[in-house]
């Protein structure tokens, strides 16, 4: 039985990755921060080989505790999915130091130190899959978020080299507009979320936004099937960042 960890697995793309792993017979530890979403995930996954843990990726103490939990529950890990993320629309003039730091604490520092804590548990031949974001895409109001994901992209390349001795492959999925409960942005009103979806349908070359299942399949492909690929970033964006025009 394969063993996997999915950070930010309680809803959206992360939950779709968890479901795909379970369908393939894996045992999964998944994390989230929001208590209500954690309870909903626990209910949805009841009876499955899934362990839902509250773990704030922005907290070093929580990352250490997650490592202990994974060590006790799974013993070792075949596939690690670093999928958690947070984004908040804030225009230049309104970005506070706290807002900037939170994006980097969760998306960048949290991702890096989660890999660091879990790397000793990763089996030889295992894999890490990061969820980044469509390349070269510019959204006004997402400067801190974009910077935090670019930093993750940068260290993913270095980790791909550093984990070579254990034959651990490090790859990323780069989603474009994907229909998730939040559309990847916290605190959007229902109306703003629908408008964001509409923009996605209009500006994506394939003329629709993607599904969480499409991202999950790509992530699982990188983790399990792409056994001769490392340091690859696979776009799942309907052509959005592929020079096909917006
Ligand atoms: N949706 C899109 O169109 C889109 C596009 C490009 C990239 N992305 C990226 O794709 C990933 C998944 O996005 P999504 O739209 O499915 O969901 P999301 O709303 O961005 O949340 C993803 C997951 O991260 C968890 N999370 C948020 N903050 C956390 C923290 N501090 N500690 C631990 N977990 C935390 C969430 O759990 P709780 O909310 O329960 O805490 C949730 O399970 C994210 O990395 C996002 O940046 C999304």
């Amino acid at each position: 039985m394969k063993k996997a960890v999915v950070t930010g697995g309680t809803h959206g793309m992360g939950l779709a990755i968890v479901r795909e792993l379970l369908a393939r017979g894996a045992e999964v530890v998944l994390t989230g921060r929001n208590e209500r979403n954690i309870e909903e995930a626990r209910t949805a996954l009841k009876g499955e080989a899934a362990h839902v843990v509250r773990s704030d990726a922005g907290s070093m103490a929580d990352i250490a505790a997650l490592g202990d939990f994974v060590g006790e529950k799974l013993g070792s890990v075949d596939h690690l999915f670093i999928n958690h993320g947070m984004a908040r629309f804030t225009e230049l003039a309104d970005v506070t130091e706290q807002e900037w730091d939170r994006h980097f604490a969760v998306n960048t520092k949290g991702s890096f130190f989660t890999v660091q804590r879990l790397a000793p548990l990763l089996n030889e031949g295992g894999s890490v899959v990061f969820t980044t974001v469509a390349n070269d895409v510019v959204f006004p109001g997402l400067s801190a978020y974009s910077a935090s994901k670019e930093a993750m992209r940068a260290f993913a390349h270095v980790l791909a080299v550093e984990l070579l001795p254990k034959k651990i492959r490090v790859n990323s999925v780069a989603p474009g507009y994907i229909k998730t409960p939040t559309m990847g942005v916290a605190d959007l009103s229902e109306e703003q979320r629908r408008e964001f979806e509409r923009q996605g349908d209009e500006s994506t070359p394939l003329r629709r936004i993607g599904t969480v299942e499409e991202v999950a399949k790509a992530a699982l492909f990188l983790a399990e099937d792409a056994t001769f690929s490392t340091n690859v970033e696979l776009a799942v964006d309907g052509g959005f960042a592929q020079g096909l025009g917006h």
Side-chain angles (χ1 to χ4, degrees):
M1 183 188 259
K2 286 278 165 62
K3 295 173 180 184
V5 175
V6 182
T7 67
T10 50
H11 56 85
M13 295 176 215
L15 184 57
I17 292 171
V18 170
R19 287 192 192 282
E20 189 68 31
L21 284 161
L22 292 171
R24 295 181 186 207
E27 182 177 5
V28 187
V29 168
L30 58 132
T31 72
R33 195 175 81 102
N34 178 291
E35 293 286 0
R36 205 191 44 172
N37 294 335
I38 286 168
E39 277 320 307
E40 282 182 14
R42 282 206 178 109
T43 306
L45 299 171
K46 206 173 162 79
E48 306 267 12
H51 314 280
V52 190
V53 187
R54 186 182 186 282
S55 180
D56 180 354
S59 156
M60 292 296 283
D62 279 14
I63 292 170
L66 175 66
D68 294 345
F69 181 86
V70 170
E72 279 161 31
K73 273 285 173 217
L74 303 183
S76 65
V77 177
D78 297 295
H79 303 306
L80 170 59
F81 297 85
I82 302 290
N83 171 76
H84 71 269
M86 58 90 55
R88 219 169 255 125
F89 274 123
T90 319
E91 300 272 333
L92 172 63
D94 300 321
V95 178
T96 60
E97 183 181 6
Q98 192 188 24
E99 184 83 353
W100 181 271
D101 287 348
R102 184 67 187 160
H103 278 90
F104 273 77
V106 173
N107 297 346
T108 311
K109 184 176 160 190
S111 297
F112 179 83
F113 283 103
T114 302
V115 179
Q116 185 197 58
R117 178 65 186 84
L118 296 181
L121 299 177
L122 276 168
N123 289 323
E124 180 153 334
S127 74
V128 179
V129 178
F130 289 100
T131 307
T132 55
V133 65
N135 257 301
D136 302 327
V137 174
V138 177
F139 281 110
L142 287 183
S143 49
Y145 170 76
S146 304
S148 69
K149 287 280 185 175
E150 282 299 332
M152 178 207 249
R153 190 172 267 137
F155 70 65
H157 296 316
V158 181
L159 299 186
V161 178
E162 291 194 11
L163 292 172
L164 278 175
K166 269 181 85 179
K167 307 224 174 349
I168 292 165
R169 295 170 298 104
V170 179
N171 295 301
S172 303
V173 276
Y177 282 96
I178 307 294
K179 188 169 170 59
T180 69
T182 62
M183 288 298 290
V185 183
D187 304 331
L188 289 186
S189 66
E190 184 58 26
E191 198 186 340
Q192 286 171 316
R193 202 176 50 72
R194 261 193 262 114
E195 172 56 20
F196 204 37
E197 283 184 33
R198 196 197 56 74
Q199 274 176 30
D201 285 336
E202 203 175 275
S203 58
T204 299
L206 282 177
R207 290 292 174 259
R208 66 169 177 87
I209 62 174
T211 67
V212 292
E213 290 77 18
E214 287 172 317
V215 178
K217 286 205 176 92
L220 265 288
F221 167 73
L222 290 172
E224 292 221 308
D225 307 324
T227 48
F228 203 44
S229 300
T230 190
N231 203 21
V232 161
E233 188 170 37
L234 178 55
V236 188
D237 64 359
F240 195 82
Q242 314 311 314
L244 302 179
H246 297 346

